[in-house]
Amino acid sequence: MASKAAQKRLSKEYVAMQREPPPFVWAAPDEKNILTWNFLIRGPPDSPFSGGEYHGVLLFPSEYPFKPPGIKMFTPSGRFQPDKKICFSMSDFHPGSWNPAWSVATILTGLLSFMLSDEMTTGSVTSSEPHKRAFAARSHSWNIQQNRFKEAFPEYSSLIMRDLPNMGEKERGKPDVVPNAPSVSYVRTPQIAAAAAASTSSPAVPTRTGSDHPPSDLTALSIMHYEAASEARSNSVVRPEDLNRAAAAPAQGWTTTWRHFIYEKWRLCAFIAVAVMVSRFSTRT
């Protein structure tokens, strides 16, 4: 049972994880127990773990953040023994070196750094670089056969491995791709694809059915993209009302010209009539 301090701290860390996930890692608490966090680590490029996907768990004590968590990795990696606690400076093997200021992001970043090293400790194994690469190539197919992986990360359980929210692009000076994080999942639905295509196509008269509200099957973030695409589309197409206004312009101009012609003729006739009357009156006098 989590203490109030642990509950509050871990809730804040989950928000921070969603807002700024560290490079190559992602984690989320178990829905039933906030003290248990499942994590994913992706092997960085230019490492023996490149292309690998590694699932593990952080087991926080109720006294967190004043005591460190236990750490396990389930996916075979050639670096750690599957489903066995790992000993390193931020785990419960070293409570004396634990710093309460450390967070989930700090722990996982440290674990990734330790994974890339050759230091041996409790829970680690020795293997060659080719073996690590072989484990990395098989990691995702191994993960999606495990029930605990599918329960913890259903959105990552498809046959094709998906990138984590931060794949280190920012650190290399490149913009990150739109994240596929669990809590802020970006789903490119067919409606979004159609809206985006319409916004970049040549101007055309749009056809609308019903209201201007987005389809009801979109996620919250998808609705934002749908509305943005709709706004871009409305700025780049010719609207029906604009066509009606343009079609009505020549008719209105012709009517105005005709009225002006009649008005000028009437003024001329009136002027002549007044002039004739004045002339006759002057002659009689």
Side-chain angles (χ1 to χ4, degrees):
M1 184 70 179
S3 64
K4 290 184 178 180
Q7 179 87 26
K8 183 177 180 180
R9 173 67 175 268
L10 290 172
S11 297
K12 288 184 177 180
E13 292 192 23
Y14 184 43
V15 173
M17 174 67 66
Q18 294 177 80
R19 185 181 297 119
E20 292 187 22
F24 306 111
V25 301
W26 175 255
D30 185 271
E31 293 182 355
K32 299 178 181 179
N33 184 6
I34 198 171
L35 293 177
T36 300
W37 284 53
N38 285 276
F39 67 81
L40 286 177
I41 290 180
R42 289 292 302 275
D46 304 322
S47 77
F49 307 100
S50 177
E53 177 187 67
Y54 306 97
H55 172 213
V57 67
L58 301 177
L59 304 171
F60 291 96
S62 59
E63 297 85 358
Y64 182 80
F66 304 106
K67 290 186 178 181
I71 304 172
K72 292 182 179 181
M73 185 175 287
F74 300 132
T75 309
S77 62
R79 178 69 174 93
F80 301 120
Q81 297 180 42
D83 203 8
K84 185 172 183 179
K85 280 192 174 183
I86 301 169
C87 172
F88 85 115
S89 59
M90 296 183 181
S91 72
D92 56 1
F93 280 86
H94 297 278
S97 63
W98 171 252
N99 186 339
W102 291 341
S103 64
V104 172
T106 307
I107 296 167
L108 292 178
T109 300
L111 178 62
L112 175 57
S113 178
F114 185 68
M115 184 177 180
L116 297 176
S117 72
D118 295 325
E119 182 180 349
M120 296 303 298
T121 185
T122 302
S124 64
V125 296
T126 302
S127 66
S128 65
E129 185 170 312
H131 278 93
K132 291 183 176 70
R133 294 188 183 279
F135 279 121
R138 298 193 298 264
S139 60
H140 181 68
S141 60
W142 189 91
N143 283 336
I144 61 177
Q145 297 177 36
Q146 312 303 312
N147 288 331
R148 57 190 171 192
F149 178 85
K150 291 187 287 187
E151 291 175 1
F153 300 107
E155 64 280 5
Y156 289 104
S157 298
S158 58
L159 291 176
I160 300 176
M161 185 166 56
R162 296 171 56 187
D163 285 347
L164 299 182
N166 183 357
M167 292 301 293
E169 296 296 325
K170 293 178 181 178
E171 285 64 28
R172 294 196 294 272
K174 302 177 182 178
D176 263 355
V177 180
V178 177
N180 289 320
S183 57
V184 288
S185 58
Y186 170 75
V187 182
R188 188 175 179 83
T189 62
Q191 292 87 347
I192 293 297
S199 66
T200 57
S201 61
S202 58
V205 179
T207 57
R208 298 185 181 182
T209 57
S211 66
D212 289 334
H213 296 292
S216 59
D217 65 331
L218 302 184
T219 63
L221 188 58
S222 296
I223 289 175
M224 294 171 60
H225 285 269
Y226 181 91
E227 292 175 346
S230 297
E231 181 179 356
R233 184 172 66 253
S234 65
N235 291 334
S236 63
V237 300
V238 180
R239 301 177 181 177
E241 53 265 34
D242 295 335
L243 291 179
N244 294 336
R245 195 177 299 115
Q252 292 176 356
W254 181 83
T255 303
T256 303
T257 303
W258 179 249
R259 289 178 179 175
H260 181 71
F261 175 78
I262 294 175
Y263 176 72
E264 292 296 326
K265 291 294 183 181
W266 179 84
R267 286 181 58 190
L268 179 59
C269 292
F271 178 79
I272 293 173
V274 171
V276 171
M277 292 177 63
V278 171
S279 177
R280 289 180 179 179
F281 179 79
S282 299
T283 302
R284 289 178 181 178
T285 56

